[in-house]
Amino acid sequence: MSSERLAALLDEYADLEKRLADPAIHADQGTARRVGRRYAELVPLHKAAGELEQARADLVAARELAAEDASFAAEADTLAAALPALEERLAELLIPRDPHDAKDVIVEIKAGEGGEESALFAGDLLRMYTRYAERRGWLTEVIDAQDSDLGGVKDVSLAIKTKGVPDGGNGVWSRLKWEGGVHRVQRVPVTESQGRIHTSAAGVLVLPEAEDVDVTIDPNELRIDVFRSSGPGGQSVNTTDSAVRITHVPTGIVVSCQNEKSQLQNREQAMRILRARLLAAAQEQADAAASDARKAQVRTVDRSERIRTYNFPQNRITDHRIGYTAYNLDLALAGELDGVLDALAEADRAARLAGGTELSRR
């Protein structure tokens, strides 16, 4: 393990501990939250380093005592046998982690091929993530949604956030970052009169929610248009131009929001999504420059480019990236996602330990 990296991280831990002990930092809740998140990320490392240091000191003492009293030899052997596991744990914690792991996320779900059936499936995915968030004690907020005629969703943006500082720096992103991609469903649609199984798909995009310090946006580079909100079937649901469309001219990224009754509120929500997309775009560029480009997320909502299949007749959920299959689809859709997410996290841990790079999220 790198002693220099360990020393630097332990120094950072000590510095953050001092900053958090200063009451003045809590005058700025944004800064306090960022410092608290980083501190929480380093707590497991500090604990593991302390346990290893103590175990090594105890081993030295036990061996010295064993030289004078043979009854201490067994204790020395026990301590020596425990060291490799402690060293492996510390080495794992020293591997650079995803810098966004402590962040909250914005999940965008878009219906793809399959018409109304795809929109209904997108609605199922929205409920699945909402229920999973409830099980974890996270907060959810629908930022914007376009409903379909049969009760599904054509396009929805869902914010998911932790309450307070996430334990160990493991925020929502650390659990949901692999969900981005094409999700395929196989079932008999409600619109099918002859009982035939159809295949359709919905796209999921998971973005770490950006804070003001993460992304700088020049107001002069934004084109903001307002328009009248509309609901399913095109009927007017608003008599004022409260919906907002924001175009980031340099990148061509376009975000619209019409859920709120106020133009100002819709603008604020659209800016949240825009910041998250710009942060993700900047991360992709940085990864590409390092020849480790993010391969995750949705290129096109094409049934053939799928990361996961939900097969209703077999009650089966399959993640194609790691070969995970379970026959508990009903439970997964009810929010019990830890089985597949734990398998993805373990595959990522193994990949990082083997080569220092994370599991591809596609």
Side-chain angles (χ1 to χ4, degrees):
M1 68 183 68
S2 170
S3 57
E4 295 83 2
R5 175 170 169 76
L6 175 60
L9 291 174
L10 292 178
D11 286 345
E12 182 184 0
Y13 172 89
D15 178 65
L16 293 172
E17 192 171 42
K18 290 179 182 178
R19 292 183 66 186
L20 288 172
D22 184 356
I25 194 175
H26 299 287
D28 183 342
Q29 288 301 309
T31 299
R33 183 171 171 80
R34 287 192 296 275
V35 172
R37 281 177 172 175
R38 179 56 177 162
Y39 177 78
E41 289 178 2
L42 294 177
V43 165
L45 176 73
H46 178 265
K47 181 180 178 182
E51 289 176 349
L52 179 58
E53 182 180 7
Q54 185 61 53
R56 285 171 171 169
D58 290 344
L59 177 58
V60 171
R63 283 174 172 169
E64 290 177 350
L65 291 171
E68 301 175 2
D69 186 344
S71 63
F72 285 99
E75 181 180 350
D77 290 342
T78 299
L79 289 167
L83 283 182
L86 292 172
E87 290 170 344
E88 181 179 353
R89 171 61 176 159
L90 184 57
E92 180 180 339
L93 289 169
L94 280 171
I95 296 174
R97 64 184 294 169
D98 188 326
H100 299 314
D101 271 353
K103 287 186 177 295
D104 300 326
V105 306
I106 293 176
V107 179
E108 298 183 7
I109 306 172
K110 301 178 185 295
E113 297 180 6
E116 278 293 342
E117 164 60 7
S118 178
L120 289 170
F121 177 51
D124 291 337
L125 293 177
L126 172 62
R127 285 185 289 275
M128 180 180 75
Y129 292 127
T130 300
R131 290 166 178 168
Y132 180 67
E134 291 171 352
R135 290 175 178 273
R136 302 282 298 194
W138 295 336
L139 303 173
T140 61
E141 173 193 2
V142 174
I143 299 176
D144 192 44
Q146 296 180 34
D147 298 330
S148 71
D149 292 328
L150 296 183
V153 291
K154 297 177 182 178
D155 193 343
V156 61
S157 296
L158 177 72
I160 306 178
K161 60 181 64 180
T162 57
K163 297 178 181 178
V165 176
D167 184 37
N170 296 312
V172 184
W173 174 259
S174 71
R175 292 298 286 172
L176 296 185
K177 59 186 173 183
W178 296 290
E179 291 303 286
V182 175
H183 295 239
R184 183 177 67 171
V185 62
Q186 296 171 327
R187 65 182 176 188
V188 179
V190 294
T191 54
E192 169 59 51
S193 60
Q194 300 182 24
R196 293 174 298 186
I197 296 174
H198 287 225
T199 298
S200 61
V204 176
L205 184 68
V206 183
L207 305 168
E209 180 152 16
E211 300 178 49
D212 290 339
V213 297
D214 295 325
V215 177
T216 300
I217 300 177
D218 184 349
N220 296 320
E221 295 178 341
L222 300 179
R223 185 173 68 247
I224 301 176
D225 303 304
V226 296
F227 57 98
R228 189 161 296 178
S229 301
S230 61
Q235 74 267 26
S236 175
V237 295
N238 200 330
T239 57
T240 62
D241 292 337
S242 61
V244 174
R245 181 186 301 109
I246 300 178
T247 302
H248 185 248
V249 177
T251 61
I253 293 174
V254 180
V255 178
S256 61
C257 189
Q258 61 177 3
N259 254 33
E260 305 296 338
K261 295 180 180 179
S262 159
Q263 185 182 120
L264 178 61
Q265 290 175 314
N266 280 324
R267 175 171 174 161
E268 290 175 349
Q269 298 289 49
M271 286 297 292
R272 286 177 65 184
I273 299 174
L274 177 60
R275 280 194 294 269
R277 290 190 184 178
L278 288 173
L279 177 63
Q283 185 65 52
E284 286 185 355
Q285 290 176 356
D287 288 343
S291 299
D292 186 26
R294 279 178 64 197
K295 296 179 181 178
Q297 316 295 352
V298 184
R299 300 302 189 272
T300 58
V301 185
D302 179 345
R303 288 193 298 263
S304 65
E305 187 185 350
R306 83 283 189 211
I307 63 165
R308 189 175 298 155
T309 295
Y310 303 74
N311 184 293
F312 276 69
Q314 298 178 16
N315 196 36
R316 169 173 58 85
I317 180 172
T318 298
D319 194 287
H320 304 285
R321 295 163 296 182
I322 57 173
Y324 173 92
T325 294
Y327 293 88
N328 61 350
L329 176 57
D330 54 338
L331 297 178
L333 290 173
E336 296 187 20
L337 284 173
D338 280 330
V340 63
L341 295 180
D342 285 345
L344 286 161
E346 176 56 30
D348 175 68
R349 187 189 74 86
R352 288 188 296 111
L353 284 173
T357 56
E358 65 178 10
L359 173 70
S360 172
R361 295 192 293 276
R362 182 175 121 197

